[in-house]
Amino acid sequence: MAAAKALRNTPAEITLIDRTNHHLFQPLLYQVATAVLTPSQIATPIRSILRKQKNTTVILGEVTGVDKERQCVFVSDADREGVPVPYDYLILASGATHSYFGHNEFEEFAPGLKSVADAVSARNKILQAFEQAEAEDDPSRHRELLTFILVGAGPTGVEMASALAILVRTTLKSDFRRIDPASARILLVDMAPRVLPPFSENLSAAAKRRLEDLGVEVRLGYSVDRIDADGIVVAGERIASRTVIWTAGVAPSPAGKWLKVETDRAGRVRVQKDVSVPGHPEIFVVGDTASFEENGKPLPGVAQVAMQQGRYAGKVIHRRITGRTPPGPFSYFDKGNMAVVGKGFAVLQSHKVQLSGFAAWLAWAGVHLQFLATSGLRVAVFLQWVWTYFTGQRGSRLIVNHHGPQPLKAAEEIPSKTAVA
């Protein structure tokens, strides 16, 4: 998206191909999963964003391969497979997916959080757990139904755990009659020695204290041995749970296999200083799909890296087409890292600046509002945040099963002295 916008004044035909019809702001997915925001508040139709860009065509389809010699990509959609789409210049920004570190069998029982569908599914699962517990006559089953486990203590895991803690202890506290939502158990598990490893030790410790103040159990230094339908096994201990969410590592798209070029150990394409593929100056790879080192260290897989590389690749192509001097090597401007840890608290690290608390939370809110795709979304999200902050009410607590089961047949007999509405 950043590259397409950078090419808006270029005398060329731009084709943007995506498997979805919307541009998603992934850092706020956890707020959809915990019912703070609706999907439409963090995602915008791509055509709407680029509607004034007359040189750009949008295609809904999934790229499944690249032919470097023929200079085309292969695109599949609902009706056709492997349709070749030619290019003169190619920018691959195909992102990343969940990594289960060799335990792909975990995926069935611990889905990740990378798309709108993932977030809605997680929201369904969380809200259904409370509904099932309310209807369950056996109190001994409430514990496993109301135990929520997040595997991975990076920014996504920390933000998700804290938002879930706020949900169960404030928003839901007066909605149920047979259960106490505040009795829910929330666990954050990671084999790392501390939460938020990219942050300083002081900020990491502040985030951990905040999580524990919210009632989150933090278990560090232990890997997950097993995940199944009944819960997880950590350090030999079985923890019963019906809701496990994977917030750990990521794996790049198969772009390296498509291109048949050198990749790093994770499978990311090793690119040159202008983010192009060695031997193919017409092909650029950016974001989570690219391996780019600066000052001897690989750049992190965060949104601002992808956006800056996308704009840079667009700038390189624009200057080539218009016959101007190409820009210098790509240089990443690190704006810092942020993570929110519940209501009114965040941690912020930017070079030597380190903040935690309400001031960091205000900065986090301002930055995230700025990066939303349209001004309409910024206003809608800001108003929802203000409303939620003061009232505790969430934007969307709907359980939406698009292919849910058919209604059960009516019971033949209803027990006496029971009122059923």
Side-chain angles (χ1 to χ4, degrees):
M1 184 63 71
K5 289 182 176 180
L7 292 164
R8 62 186 176 276
N9 296 320
T10 304
E13 295 180 3
I14 314 302
T15 302
L16 192 153
I17 305 170
D18 198 291
R19 70 178 72 180
T20 68
N21 77 328
H22 55 268
H23 171 65
L24 171 66
F25 187 56
Q26 281 193 342
L28 292 180
L29 272 174
Y30 80 94
Q31 294 207 358
V32 173
T34 54
V36 177
L37 299 175
T38 65
S40 62
Q41 289 176 309
I42 66 167
T44 308
I46 297 172
R47 296 184 186 279
S48 175
I49 298 173
L50 299 176
R51 66 187 182 279
K52 295 182 180 180
Q53 228 172 279
K54 301 302 182 183
N55 66 344
T56 303
T57 299
V58 178
I59 294 179
L60 179 65
E62 182 173 1
V63 173
T64 57
V66 178
D67 190 324
K68 295 181 295 184
E69 283 67 38
R70 293 171 55 191
Q71 290 197 191
C72 69
V73 298
F74 299 104
V75 182
S76 298
D77 58 25
D79 300 319
R80 299 176 296 172
E81 291 187 7
V83 178
V85 177
Y87 65 82
D88 294 303
Y89 293 97
L90 172 64
I91 301 174
L92 282 170
S94 40
T97 186
H98 320 293
S99 173
Y100 290 87
F101 306 109
H103 291 279
N104 292 336
E105 69 275 12
F106 291 173
E107 184 173 8
E108 179 183 355
F109 308 105
L113 201 62
K114 289 294 180 186
S115 68
V116 170
D118 291 340
V120 172
S121 177
R123 185 184 70 190
N124 285 347
K125 203 167 186 180
I126 291 168
L127 296 177
Q128 281 173 336
F130 290 96
E131 298 294 344
Q132 288 176 302
E134 179 81 347
E136 177 57 58
D137 292 326
D138 183 358
S140 65
R141 295 197 60 212
H142 289 174
R143 186 66 167 172
E144 65 183 76
L145 286 170
L146 298 182
T147 294
F148 304 92
I149 301 175
L150 298 124
V151 181
T156 301
V158 167
E159 292 180 334
M160 181 78 176
S162 58
L164 188 53
I166 297 293
L167 171 69
V168 302
R169 287 164 176 77
T170 58
T171 307
L172 300 181
K173 66 179 181 179
S174 61
D175 285 8
F176 295 88
R177 301 293 175 265
R178 304 175 69 187
I179 61 170
D180 177 13
S183 67
R185 185 185 183 193
I186 302 169
L187 283 86
L188 182 63
V189 180
D190 201 312
M191 66 181 301
R194 56 191 179 94
V195 303
L196 300 176
F199 291 76
S200 69
E201 291 188 11
N202 289 337
L203 292 179
S204 175
K208 183 173 182 290
R209 287 194 299 271
R210 174 66 172 173
L211 285 167
E212 291 171 340
D213 289 343
L214 292 172
V216 177
E217 296 180 39
V218 182
R219 296 200 177 190
L220 302 172
Y222 299 102
S223 61
V224 175
D225 301 321
R226 181 180 175 83
I227 303 178
D228 54 34
D230 298 318
I232 70 171
V233 176
V234 181
E237 178 189 356
R238 160 70 69 173
I239 302 175
S241 172
R242 294 295 183 89
T243 307
V244 182
I245 299 174
W246 189 265
T247 57
V250 297
S253 74
K257 297 178 181 178
W258 299 340
L259 297 173
K260 298 178 182 178
V261 295
E262 183 184 2
T263 61
D264 63 10
R265 289 192 303 174
R268 299 177 300 177
V269 176
R270 295 191 183 276
V271 296
Q272 301 188 108
K273 295 301 182 183
D274 63 351
V275 300
S276 67
V277 174
H280 289 273
E282 77 282 3
I283 301 177
F284 301 83
V285 183
V286 303
D288 290 333
T289 307
S291 176
F292 187 98
E293 291 191 357
E294 194 168 73
N295 300 322
K297 295 181 180 180
L299 294 182
V302 295
Q304 53 179 306
V305 171
M307 293 168 68
Q308 290 182 35
Q309 288 181 334
R311 282 194 292 267
Y312 174 85
K315 186 177 181 180
V316 171
I317 294 173
H318 176 81
R319 292 200 175 189
R320 286 186 191 175
I321 291 175
T322 56
R324 298 168 62 189
T325 304
F330 173 73
S331 178
Y332 172 56
F333 177 67
D334 187 0
K335 298 179 180 179
N337 295 317
M338 296 180 176
V340 66
V341 195
K343 179 181 178 180
F345 189 98
V347 291
L348 180 156
Q349 180 172 307
S350 179
H351 304 289
K352 294 183 179 180
V353 177
Q354 296 185 18
L355 288 176
S356 64
F358 187 72
W361 182 79
L362 288 176
W364 171 90
V367 168
H368 282 65
L369 287 172
Q370 177 188 353
F371 281 121
L372 288 170
T374 67
S375 57
L377 289 185
R378 296 183 195 108
V379 172
V381 171
F382 173 74
L383 292 176
Q384 182 61 57
W385 281 351
V386 171
W387 180 254
T388 301
Y389 185 89
F390 287 106
T391 69
Q393 297 181 21
R394 303 274 167 145
S396 178
R397 284 163 48 202
L398 307 180
I399 298 174
V400 183
N401 291 316
H402 297 288
H403 301 288
Q406 294 297 316
L408 298 174
K409 293 182 179 180
E412 294 182 2
E413 182 179 352
I414 296 176
S416 60
K417 298 183 180 179
T418 299
V420 179

